[in-house]
Each structure stands twice: as C-alpha cells, then as structure tokens.
C-alpha cells in the first residue's frame, strides 16, 4: 500500500531564498549608489570600489579555502559597503587593509558569517578611521564633478563641518562626502529594492532616520532636521548597514529600539562629540547591544502565565 | 612530583601566566605600547616575584593561615617599593612610562597567585625555580605583545626603525583597543598551537 503520510523532520516549508540570493539582491540595491559615486567622483571612485571588493573576496576565499571566489557573495557586499564609507581616492593600501580587517577581524575571527557581533564593513572603517585618520577623514573629501571623470580633485570640508550645503544638493548627492553617502536619491532607490524584496524591515531605518530628524529639529528647525538626515552617512547606515541581518535584533520591538539607539548615538556624536560624523560608531555600539536587546524584547509565549512572586 | 626542570619550564609554556592562565591582564593591556615598556614591566614582575616567592616560601610555616593574605601583601609591597625606587633612580624614563603600574604590582594576580598557589606549599628551591619560570614567561609575553604593537603602531622594535621612513604607522595598535585586539589574536594563536601540539 502506498504511504499517504510522509513523516520527516522539520523544516517543512522551505524558502527559495539563499544567502547568495540575498547578497545578490543587496549588490543590486547598491548598484545605483555605486553608479552615482562613479558619476560624481570619477574613475578614482570605481578603482576604490574594485580594490575593496576584490581584496574582500580574496581574503574570504583564502580563509574559507572552499575554492569558490564569489562564495555566498557576503564578502563582495562587505567590500562594497566598506568602499561606500571611504572618501573617493584614499591610497590603495588603506582600502586593501580595510577589506582584510573587515573580513578577517570583523567576520571570521568570530566564526564567519552569522556569528559576527559587529558589522564587518563598519569594523573595517572604524579601524581605518582610528589608524590612518588623515587618509579617510578630515580634509580628504573631494568636490564632486559630475561627468568630470578625470578632472583634478579639489578637496573641501564635509557638509557636516560647514553646514552650508543646499538640501537639493544633498538630495542629489552633488556635495563632498564618502562614495556612497552623498546621494540620497540613489540610496532611496536602492532601499526601495530591498524593501520590495522583503530583506529589510521598516523599523530599523524608520527608527534611525526618524530620531535623527526629530533630534535635528532641536538643532535648528525643520530644514536642519532634514539636513541631518540627508547629510553624512545616515541614509547609507540606516538602509544598508544597520539592517544587516546578522548584527541587528530579530524581534520587532528590538528592531525599533536598535534603530532609535543608532540615531541617538549618531546625533550625540554629531552635536556634542569631537567628530563631525557618528554613524559608524553609533551602529557599532548598537551592534554590541543587539543580544541584550533581543533578550529584553522576547515576545511572550502563547499561554504564558505570570509567575507568582 | 614534577622535576625541577619542569618547575622552571611550566611558567614559560604550559602555564604561561599571560597566555595560558590569563593573569596580570591589566599591565599587559596598559603598558605594552612598545617592546621596551613590555620588557621593563616583565623584568620588574620577575624581580618582585623572585624575591617574594623566596621569602614567602621561607616563612610559610610561621604565618598563621588566617592572616596569610595581609602578610603576603606586606612582603610583596616591600619588594615593590624597592623596585619602584630602583627604577626611579636608574631608568627614570621607564619609571615614568610604567607609572602607576609599578605600585600596582603589589596586587598583580601573578604574584599573589604564585604566593598562594605555590610558594606557601613548596620549599625555597622549588619556589625560586617557579618564580624564575613564571617571571620569564611574563617577560616574554609582555615583550612579544610590545614588539607587535610597536612594530605596527610605530614602525620600530626597541626603538630601532624597522619599517623604513615611508611606513605610516597603524595608530590603532598604539591605542588601547589595539592592546585588546593584539592580545586576543595572540591568545587565539596560542590556543590553536597548543591544540595542534596536543597539550591541554
């Protein structure tokens, strides 16, 4: 007799989604951002991104020794995200070391993808920022020259130091800044793709951007709130980095707390700290708190009874 | 009963205070910005440990058990004060760099630990060998951390320029987080090596 009842162990419902498909989606989402970076900052930006991605993938391939260069694609995403946080033309070895640190110390020391506590790309950036601050921050921001692919670079201060860029420029991205952070338009297009594919939840970017806007209101009204959201790395951090599945909380309430925390730390550093920008350290700090937030916001089990004291 | 040679060598490899027992982490993290500071701290600990182990093991039967901790601290503090003054007199630069961490040797886990775990149960000869082994172990470990941090954080070792003038130092390793990262990676490598060698 044919058996009608199939007995198997869980999981019973399988998703066609794989790590690789998610990572490819993130790469697709980053494409408009990368395109805008090349458009604004020229081929130097492309070189920085290529170095970061190739070194990151090579590091991953050497550590995993699984014979696959692209692998699950997470190294490419980490490398590209790292490049997005760098100025248009840092020395090549700074980019390469950033990628090696991001993959080696940011990810594989903890046991590889899924076990890392901190966002690897941001670990790479933080190490570069602390080690060679003069190459990745300060007066390294070049003035963007649309279509001027080979124009000479002119450096100028970050809009977070001068506070004089127009909101329209900030939205389009024609201001100085890191490769992937200047163009709000491109970031929003990328984020819409991630939302559409269901890879990110509104709570983290919502909480992050919302609190930055609200705290910005106190710094000088509506336009200043908008300025704080559009300038610097808030959008890049909120859409692409804080939402990293590994290093952010899984509970809905936890995600909101995480986003709010990122925004509050970012604004605290911007308004009261010694550095013009605080997105990197805001997200890294909240990454460290993620396990605690998850524990704190565990949903109640169905049918749970309040313990009598 | 282990042989006298083992008493000496255990402090360097199997029970290395820094990398195996994780004792004395505070000076390890705080003063190893250069190889020389690490070496100086290691030798200071070695000197104090040797003297205190000799005295404590010599008077181990005279100290009542209930007050042994205060007694040990008094003995150790005497030698630490002597070391402090000697360093101040002969190597003022090192003394200035090590600063508060010289007086803090009094409460260094390695020295208290060896007094409590070894010197009070063993005779003077064994205690001397134990102190020498542990002291050399600490000196090697601290110097190693110092060499790595100085090499990458300043491009030199013991003040001699290694990396050339074009090298741009990695400031991270000269700063406190660099101490944690260096120590963590060294600990990992140590555990890996000991696992490979089959030593537990």
């Amino acid at each position: 007799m044919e058996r009608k009842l199939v007995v198997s162990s869980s999981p019973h419902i399988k998703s066609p989604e794989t790590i690789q498909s998610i990572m490819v989606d993130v790469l697709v989402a980053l494409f408009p951002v990368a395109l805008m970076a090349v458009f604004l900052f020229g081929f130097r930006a492309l070189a920085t991104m290529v170095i970061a991605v190739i070194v990151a993938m090579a590091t991953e391939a050497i550590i995993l020794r699984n014979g696959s260069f692209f692998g699950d694609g997470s190294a490419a995403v980490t490398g590209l995200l790292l490049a997005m946080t760098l100025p248009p033309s840092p020395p090549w070895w700074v980019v390469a070391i950033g990628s090696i640190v991001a993959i080696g110390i940011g990810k594989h020391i903890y046991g590889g993808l899924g076990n890392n506590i901190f966002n690897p790309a941001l670990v790479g950036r933080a190490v570069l920022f602390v080690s060679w601050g003069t190459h990745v921050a300060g007066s390294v921001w070049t003035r963007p020259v649309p279509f001027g692919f080979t124009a000479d670079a002119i450096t100028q201060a970050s809009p977070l130091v001068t506070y004089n860029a127009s909101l329209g420029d900030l939205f389009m991205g024609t201001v100085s800044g890191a490769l992937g952070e200047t163009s709000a338009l491109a970031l929003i297009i990328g984020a819409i793709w991630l939302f559409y594919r269901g890879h990110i939840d509104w709570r983290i970017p919502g909480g992050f951007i919302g609190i930055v806007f609200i705290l910005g209101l106190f710094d000088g009204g509506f336009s200043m709130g908008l300025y704080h959201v559009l300038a610097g790395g808030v959008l890049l951090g909120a859409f692409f980095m804080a939402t990293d599945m590994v290093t952010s909380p899984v509970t809905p309430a936890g995600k909101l707390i995480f986003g709010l925390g990122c925004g509050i730390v970012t604004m605290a550093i911007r308004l009261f700290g010694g550095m013009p920008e605080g997105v990197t350290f805001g997200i890294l700090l909240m990454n460290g708190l993620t396990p605690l937030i998850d524990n704190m916001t565990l949903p109640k089990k169905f049918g749970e009874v309040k313990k009598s004291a | 009963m282990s042989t006298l040679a083992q008493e000496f060598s255990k402090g360097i490899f199997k029970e290395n205070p820094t990398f195996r027992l994780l004792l004395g982490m505070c000076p390890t993290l705080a003063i190893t910005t250069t190889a020389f500071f690490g070496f100086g701290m290691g030798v200071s600990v070695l000197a104090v440990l040797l003297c205190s182990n000799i005295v404590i093991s010599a008077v181990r039967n005279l100290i009542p058990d209930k007050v042994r901790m205060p007694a040990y601290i008094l003995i150790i503090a005497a030698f630490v004060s002597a070391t402090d003054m000697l360093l101040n007199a002969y190597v003022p630069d090192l003394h200035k760099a090590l600063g508060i961490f010289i007086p803090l040797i009094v409460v260094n886990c390695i020295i208290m630990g060896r007094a409590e775990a070894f010197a009070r149960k063993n005779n003077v000869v064994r205690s001397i060998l134990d102190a020498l082994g542990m002291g050399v172990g600490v000196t090697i470990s601290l110097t190693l951390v110092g060499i790595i941090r100085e090499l990458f954080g300043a491009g030199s070792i013991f003040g001699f320029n290694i990396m050339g003038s074009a090298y741009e130092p990695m400031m991270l390793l000269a700063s406190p987080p660099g101490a944690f990262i260096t120590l963590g990676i060294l600990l990992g490598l140590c555990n890996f090596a000991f696992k490979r060698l089959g030593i537990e």
Side-chain angles (χ1 to χ4, degrees):
Chain A
M1 199 178 97
E2 200 184 322
R3 238 169 63 173
K4 288 274 160 58
L5 182 70
V6 179
V7 181
S8 68
S9 69
S10 62
H12 303 292
I13 302 172
K14 291 178 183 121
S15 158
E17 233 172 38
T18 61
I19 292 174
Q20 193 174 31
S21 76
I22 294 173
M23 292 302 165
V24 169
D25 271 340
V26 178
L27 287 177
V28 170
L30 279 171
F31 183 72
V33 187
L35 202 66
M36 201 66 184
V38 177
F39 169 68
L40 291 171
F41 298 107
F43 289 119
R44 288 181 302 267
L46 187 64
T48 300
M49 286 187 272
V50 168
I51 294 170
V53 170
I54 288 183
V55 173
M57 289 201 294
T59 313
E60 171 115 334
I62 290 168
I63 292 175
L64 288 179
R65 292 187 292 270
N66 60 0
S68 156
F69 193 66
F70 187 72
D72 56 18
S74 59
V77 169
T78 299
L80 193 54
L81 280 176
L82 172 69
M84 291 302 174
T85 67
L86 296 177
S89 51
W92 65 270
W93 53 268
V94 165
V95 184
I97 291 177
S99 278
I100 294 171
V101 168
I103 299 293
I105 294 183
K107 192 161 93 178
H108 283 291
I109 284 236
Y110 296 101
L113 186 69
N115 298 318
N116 47 312
I117 304 171
F118 301 105
N119 186 317
L122 288 178
V123 170
R125 182 186 142 76
V127 166
L128 293 183
F129 181 77
V130 175
S131 298
W132 295 284
T134 50
H135 288 306
V136 296
S139 56
V140 291
W141 311 112
T142 46
R143 193 163 59 84
V145 185
F147 294 114
F149 289 112
T150 51
D152 288 337
I154 302 165
T155 57
Q156 63 183 36
S158 151
L160 278 174
V161 175
T162 58
Y163 284 105
N164 64 1
S166 81
L167 290 178
D169 282 343
L170 288 171
F171 184 73
M172 290 306 293
T174 48
V175 291
S176 61
L179 290 183
E181 71 178 18
T182 59
S183 174
L185 178 66
L187 286 164
I188 291 169
I189 293 172
I192 288 172
W193 173 252
L194 287 181
F195 276 120
Y196 169 70
R197 301 285 288 180
H199 294 321
I200 59 179
D201 188 271
W202 66 270
R203 290 181 181 84
I204 292 176
F208 196 156
I209 295 167
I211 197 75
V212 165
F213 177 71
I214 292 169
L215 291 174
L217 291 180
F218 292 106
D219 192 33
F222 183 78
S223 63
M224 209 54 197
L226 219 50
Y227 193 100
H228 272 290
V229 171
L230 294 174
V234 168
L235 290 178
L236 177 66
F239 288 129
F240 289 95
M241 295 184 167
T243 53
D244 176 10
M245 293 174 182
V246 179
T247 55
S248 62
V250 292
T251 59
K255 286 180 177 175
L256 199 58
I257 295 173
F258 180 86
L260 291 174
C262 291
I264 290 170
V265 177
T266 299
M267 287 306 279
I269 294 176
R270 275 189 186 179
L271 299 179
F272 308 112
M275 297 177 285
E277 177 62 304
V279 173
T280 307
F281 293 106
I283 297 175
L284 283 175
L285 191 71
M286 293 310 286
N287 282 162
L289 294 179
T290 294
L292 292 176
I293 296 172
D294 263 339
N295 264 341
M296 217 169 65
T297 55
L298 272 184
K300 273 213 156 54
K301 285 179 195 126
F302 184 67
E304 194 175 24
V305 183
K306 210 178 201 177
K307 281 198 190 93
S308 50
Chain B
M1 209 64 177
S2 49
T3 67
L4 293 178
Q6 279 171 332
E7 287 308 0
F8 175 71
S9 68
K10 73 171 190 295
I12 301 175
F13 297 109
K14 270 176 97 170
E15 292 178 29
N16 184 305
T18 307
F19 292 136
R20 300 293 292 167
L21 305 181
L22 297 187
L23 293 177
M25 288 292 105
C26 192
T28 309
L29 293 168
I31 52 89
T32 52
T33 48
T34 72
F36 180 61
F37 293 160
F39 180 75
M41 187 71 199
V43 172
S44 311
V45 170
L46 170 66
V48 174
L49 182 58
L50 183 62
C51 300
S52 70
N53 252 18
I54 293 173
V55 173
I56 289 169
S57 111
V59 298
R60 65 185 188 278
N61 296 326
L62 303 176
I63 302 175
D65 244 17
K66 276 184 183 163
V67 294
R68 63 176 193 279
M69 277 297 167
Y72 295 165
I73 289 185
L74 279 178
I75 294 168
I76 296 165
F79 292 118
V80 170
S81 304
T83 311
D84 193 27
M85 290 175 201
L86 278 172
L87 287 178
N88 200 1
Y90 291 102
V91 270
D93 286 345
L94 181 67
H95 183 264
K96 211 173 166 191
L98 299 187
I100 186 68
F101 290 98
I102 291 290
L104 278 180
I105 295 178
V106 175
V107 285
N108 190 310
C109 306
I110 303 167
I111 290 162
M112 290 300 278
R114 292 334 284 175
E116 177 72 14
F118 197 91
R120 89 184 169 98
K121 298 172 191 158
N122 289 282
N123 62 32
V124 177
V125 178
R126 279 177 181 277
S127 297
I128 289 175
L129 289 170
D130 178 72
L132 284 175
M134 289 287 163
V136 172
V138 174
T139 309
I140 292 174
S141 312
L142 291 191
T143 312
L144 185 65
V145 178
I147 284 176
I148 294 173
R149 289 183 65 193
E150 192 183 348
L151 179 63
F152 293 109
S156 57
I157 293 178
F158 283 109
F160 296 108
N161 197 316
I162 302 284
M163 295 294 221
S165 52
Y167 179 73
E168 295 187 40
M170 188 172 181
M171 292 310 292
L172 175 74
L173 284 191
S175 61
F180 282 94
I181 293 174
T182 312
L183 183 68
I185 292 175
L186 283 176
L187 280 175
L189 288 176
C190 254
N191 282 347
F192 178 74
F194 274 79
K195 226 178 215 170
R196 275 289 163 94
L197 294 171
I199 303 168
E200 203 38 67

